[in-house]
Amino acid sequence: MPLWIATTLAAALLQTWRTALQQKLRGQLSVNAAGVVRYLYGVPVGMLLLGLYAALFGFVPPPPSWGFLAFAAAGGLMQILGTNLLIMAFGARGFAVGTAYAKTEAVQGAILALILLNEQLSLLAWIGIAIGVGGVLYLSLAGKKLTPAELVRSTLQPAALCGLGAGGCFALTSILIKSANLELAHPDPVLRALVTLVFTNILQTLMQGGWLAWREPAQLRAVFATWRSSAPVGALSACGSACWFSGFALAPVAMVRALGQTEILFTLLFSRFYLKESLKRSEVAGAIIVVAGVVLVLLGR
């Protein structure tokens, strides 16, 4: 199995697990505070992963450049905005469907990667992405009348807007993080990915933590008070991001994001068995369509 496929599948699983834990924090923390914990508590875990990888292979991490820091900061900001929008989508429709709306990031990422990075895909891969997004839309809009007016009304509901916005932010995050990775002067892409992870998490902690200290000081105290439940979120976030960043470094962004749609399967499982949310047949059918699209993407790579 190619390394980028293994890291992407691991990233999808870890991200789903982390998001489920983060959703549980909504009862204790605000949207911004729930976002801060994934970066604040992820920094030491990212440093540990970088230190172990560098020591294992005898690498010296490359120094950051100003271009690298600019891309990492921009990518980190997009991830913060995307995470906040995703958490807001949960409140409007629930964990499983809120995440489904955000999965449009696959097609958004493919288009942005084509425009900004000139990443080319085969026709079969594009068809797979389209089918995957079709599965997401079916999952999100099943049971509604598909008249133009109803379609527009469904698309303009709060959960849809938050989810679509989250997908756009995550797609931009992928592009910016890959650009940051390419700014580092080192031949090993995984080492570059881990360096990118550490610096991005530090910058995210400063950005969103600073906002929290300014606008929600009581929530900043709560972030530290809830460390027992918050620390696992940060650890899973760091491990998941390490896998995502490695995938971006090893393969085209569009391919990684398309394969990452398998997260919807993990999401449905977490939704049913961890969060105790009931699932509809339409949600299961939509997930199967998404998987079919992913299979076509892999066949067309």
Side-chain angles (χ1 to χ4, degrees):
M1 178 185 296
L3 182 57
W4 76 270
I5 293 180
T7 57
T8 301
L9 290 175
L13 174 59
L14 290 168
Q15 179 168 295
T16 306
W17 189 358
R18 183 266 302 162
T19 306
L21 292 181
Q22 198 170 30
Q23 169 74 339
K24 287 271 189 174
L25 285 175
R26 280 303 310 277
Q28 308 171 59
L29 301 173
S30 69
V31 170
N32 279 301
V36 166
V37 299
R38 64 177 292 192
Y39 312 125
L40 174 65
Y41 292 105
V43 169
V45 177
M47 288 182 171
L48 178 62
L49 292 174
L50 173 59
L52 290 174
Y53 187 84
L56 181 63
F57 293 99
F59 290 145
V60 176
S65 64
W66 288 112
F68 165 81
L69 292 174
F71 280 124
L77 179 59
M78 287 298 102
Q79 191 174 44
I80 288 173
L81 295 176
T83 300
N84 282 8
L85 287 169
L86 182 59
I87 293 174
M88 291 166 65
F90 293 159
R93 272 292 291 278
F95 178 70
V97 178
T99 301
Y101 279 116
K103 289 295 97 185
T104 58
E105 69 181 280
V107 69
Q108 294 185 61
I111 294 172
L112 288 174
L114 176 63
I115 296 171
L116 300 177
L117 299 178
N118 195 32
E119 291 185 350
Q120 304 292 328
L121 297 177
S122 69
L123 177 60
L124 187 58
W126 277 107
I127 292 173
I129 291 174
I131 290 176
V133 173
V136 169
L137 293 176
Y138 175 79
L139 175 61
S140 304
L141 303 177
K144 297 185 179 293
K145 297 177 182 179
L146 295 180
T147 64
E150 184 64 29
L151 185 59
V152 171
R153 192 177 302 116
S154 299
T155 304
L156 293 178
Q157 65 176 296
L161 295 177
C162 289
L164 291 170
C169 287
F170 290 142
L172 279 172
T173 297
S174 306
I175 303 295
L176 292 165
I177 291 300
K178 179 153 191 170
S179 298
N181 187 293
L182 296 175
E183 286 287 322
L184 293 173
H186 197 281
D188 187 82
V190 176
L191 180 70
R192 297 199 310 266
L194 293 175
V195 172
T196 304
L197 167 66
V198 170
F199 276 92
T200 301
N201 275 359
I202 291 173
L203 291 168
Q204 288 171 315
T205 301
L206 294 174
M207 287 187 287
Q208 196 165 25
W211 172 268
L212 205 63
W214 177 39
R215 300 302 298 268
E216 303 176 59
Q219 285 294 311
L220 182 60
R221 292 190 291 273
V223 165
F224 291 100
T226 60
W227 68 269
R228 286 184 177 84
S229 52
S230 296
V233 172
L236 288 170
S237 177
C239 293
S241 293
C243 292
W244 280 124
F245 291 9
S246 297
F248 298 148
L250 294 166
V253 167
M255 302 293 288
V256 174
R257 281 305 187 192
L259 179 58
Q261 288 185 106
T262 53
E263 178 190 350
I264 194 65
L265 298 180
F266 301 129
T267 297
L268 291 174
L269 291 173
F270 272 86
S271 176
R272 176 65 183 89
F273 297 106
Y274 183 73
L275 297 178
K276 308 302 181 183
E277 295 181 351
S278 59
L279 299 180
K280 301 177 181 178
R281 290 183 179 180
S282 60
E283 292 175 340
V284 176
I288 293 173
I289 297 172
V290 169
V291 171
V294 168
V295 170
L296 290 179
V297 169
L298 293 179
L299 291 175
R301 74 180 190 273

